[in-house]
Amino acid sequence: MRSSFHGGRERAGRRCGRWHAGRVTSPQVPQRPAVQSLPAYVPGARADLGRAHKLSSNENPFPPLPSVRDAVARAAGALNRYPDMFATELVEALAAKHHVEAGSIVAGCGSVAVLGHVLQGFCDAGDEVVHAWRSFEAYPILVQLQGAVSVPVPLTVDGRHDLPAMAAAVTERTRVMLVCSPNNPTGPAIGHAELLELLAAVPERVLVVLDEAYVEFVRSEDPIDSEQVLAAHPNVVVLRTFSKAYGLAALRVGYAVTHPDLARAVRTASTPFGVNHLAQVAAMASLEAEGELAERVEAVVAERERVAERLRAQGWGLPESQANFVWLPTADRTVDLASAAARQGVLVRPFAGEGMRISIGEAAANDRVLELTRAWGGA
Ligand SMILES: *Cc1c(COP(=O)(O)O)cnc(C)c1O
């Protein structure tokens, strides 16, 4: 399928533009096969339906904190200036948070963009990137855009990374391994001990990217201590985002933590001024309000536990989610059930033939979900 992150909008723009006049012949410019054959990035359905519950993109259901909103409003007076190119204040605050030097942090326009810059920094054409599948759908797209080759390793039956199989998939051509914990879209987190075993089995020349987009929601017994991992393994990059627990999805800010030598390569590949001024200000204000934000994360975790327990009581077999979403194994019924849910005002993220990812929202939204799943019957 020919598509991309932006496919839909490009087509819409073309319809409205002057090219539509019909005087222009088709372009003869060849396109890269890697781009033409890209899988579609399917964004979560948007809530145009007015009162719909939008549970399709794993966003934070809470509106921004007043302190964050005020900081952004004040910063709006300086929009005529370029932002601080290196997001200096934010980078310093993040370095302090993670107990590393500022040279270890690279901020970018969402952690997806940072991951793209990581791949640009370390992969040449034909290099292999090992990752679990199904996992975050941006992975194969970013890998292919870079001209590298995706090596997907199937999840276990309970939706976990098969770490021994991932280690076994490493070849001479492997440059990067992507590890997503908790895994989007299934939810399980990797344990600290298992991760250390993986790192011991993977050659040190392979860059291991640990994508921790949902780390704030983890309540498992052996959570990954990424600070310790980074200190012991100079081939690791940790990715974090302000889009989920911090509730700043609209502003696009994420970052990498890694050895300063590797950080330099990621910085070199980064878009200049990639973190806009409002995003820098909002991220700073959010770091100052971490206590308040943590209470909201606790509320989401409590709802996740309630929803998972109720779903199991309804007869659904679920992977153990440590994120702000649950995975419902609806198999062949997925598309029909997701459409039915949308008609009833609940937007979920279907994966045809496999299952659906349902974000944890406010209690009322979660109650609606539980009514629907009860009517659908467990699986
Ligand atoms: C949501 C998500 C991200 C965050 O992306 P941003 O670009 O920072 O909004 C990264 N990785 C995974 C696995 C995600 O689900």
Side-chain angles (χ1 to χ4, degrees):
M1 174 156 185
R2 286 189 197 182
S3 190
S4 69
F5 290 119
H6 313 292
R9 281 200 204 142
E10 268 168 28
R11 279 193 297 278
R14 199 171 293 194
R15 261 202 307 281
C16 311
R18 263 190 278 163
W19 306 332
H20 195 57
R23 292 185 302 261
V24 181
T25 55
S26 311
Q28 300 297 305
V29 183
Q31 297 188 20
R32 291 174 58 206
V35 172
Q36 285 185 296
S37 64
L38 271 178
Y41 182 99
V42 183
R46 291 183 63 85
D48 306 322
L49 306 173
R51 289 161 50 78
H53 295 299
K54 186 176 182 309
L55 305 176
S56 50
S57 298
N58 296 342
E59 294 146 334
N60 197 313
F62 297 101
L65 293 173
S67 61
V68 173
R69 204 189 285 217
D70 290 349
V72 170
R74 279 195 304 275
L79 293 183
N80 53 314
R81 302 292 176 195
Y82 277 104
D84 172 358
M85 173 137 150
F86 297 110
T88 313
E89 250 189 287
L90 176 61
V91 162
E92 281 168 8
L94 292 170
K97 173 181 158 82
H98 292 281
H99 306 106
V100 293
E101 57 186 280
S104 282
I105 307 281
V106 189
C109 179
S111 57
V112 170
V114 179
L115 176 57
H117 302 319
V118 168
L119 297 174
Q120 285 167 348
F122 295 94
C123 292
D124 275 319
D127 285 341
E128 293 174 358
V129 178
V130 173
H131 59 80
W133 199 252
R134 180 168 283 283
S135 187
F136 189 28
E137 65 183 321
Y139 295 161
I141 297 176
L142 292 172
V143 169
Q144 196 169 322
L145 274 177
Q146 186 50 30
V149 178
S150 260
V151 179
V153 177
L155 297 172
T156 66
V157 285
D158 47 1
R160 295 178 179 276
H161 280 45
D162 186 342
L163 297 176
M166 289 176 73
V170 171
T171 71
E172 289 290 305
R173 290 305 302 265
T174 306
R175 299 302 305 273
V176 175
M177 179 181 287
L178 305 177
V179 177
C180 187
S181 180
N183 187 51
N184 176 5
T186 53
I190 291 166
H192 188 72
E194 305 177 86
L195 181 65
L196 293 184
E197 276 176 44
L198 174 75
L199 290 168
V202 169
E204 284 180 24
R205 62 174 172 78
V206 173
L207 182 71
V208 177
V209 177
L210 175 61
D211 184 345
E212 294 199 302
Y214 303 97
V215 67
E216 294 85 356
F217 302 100
V218 173
R219 297 293 179 273
S220 64
E221 295 203 336
D222 183 28
I224 293 172
D225 178 347
S226 59
E227 249 171 59
Q228 206 190 86
V229 170
L230 285 166
H233 296 275
N235 60 325
V236 171
V237 177
V238 172
L239 295 180
R240 296 285 185 95
T241 181
F242 283 91
S243 298
K244 309 287 163 52
Y246 288 85
L248 298 182
L251 284 174
R252 315 299 303 120
V253 52
Y255 60 99
V257 192
T258 186
H259 189 284
D261 291 351
L262 302 186
R264 210 168 293 124
V266 180
R267 215 173 282 121
T268 301
S270 291
T271 311
F273 307 106
V275 187
N276 74 72
H277 183 53
L278 301 185
Q280 291 186 30
V281 164
M284 284 297 294
S286 300
L287 290 174
E288 279 157 27
E290 277 196 320
E292 261 174 289
L293 289 167
E295 286 172 28
R296 295 171 158 203
V297 168
E298 265 331 304
V300 171
V301 169
E303 277 293 286
R304 173 188 79 206
E305 294 305 309
R306 179 178 78 91
V307 168
E309 194 177 311
R310 292 277 302 282
L311 286 171
R312 290 201 176 93
Q314 290 176 4
W316 294 93
L318 307 180
E320 186 210 327
S321 176
Q322 292 288 330
N324 65 341
F325 54 83
V326 291
W327 170 262
L328 212 58
T330 39
D332 293 344
R333 298 192 290 161
T334 301
V335 171
D336 291 345
L337 295 181
S339 307
R343 284 193 299 275
Q344 297 180 65
V346 177
L347 304 179
V348 302
R349 174 68 175 88
F351 295 86
E354 297 179 45
M356 60 178 77
R357 190 191 67 200
I358 308 176
S359 310
I360 299 298
E362 321 88 281
N366 304 332
D367 285 340
R368 282 293 292 134
V369 166
L370 290 166
E371 284 170 30
L372 291 172
T373 56
R374 192 179 52 220
W376 296 344

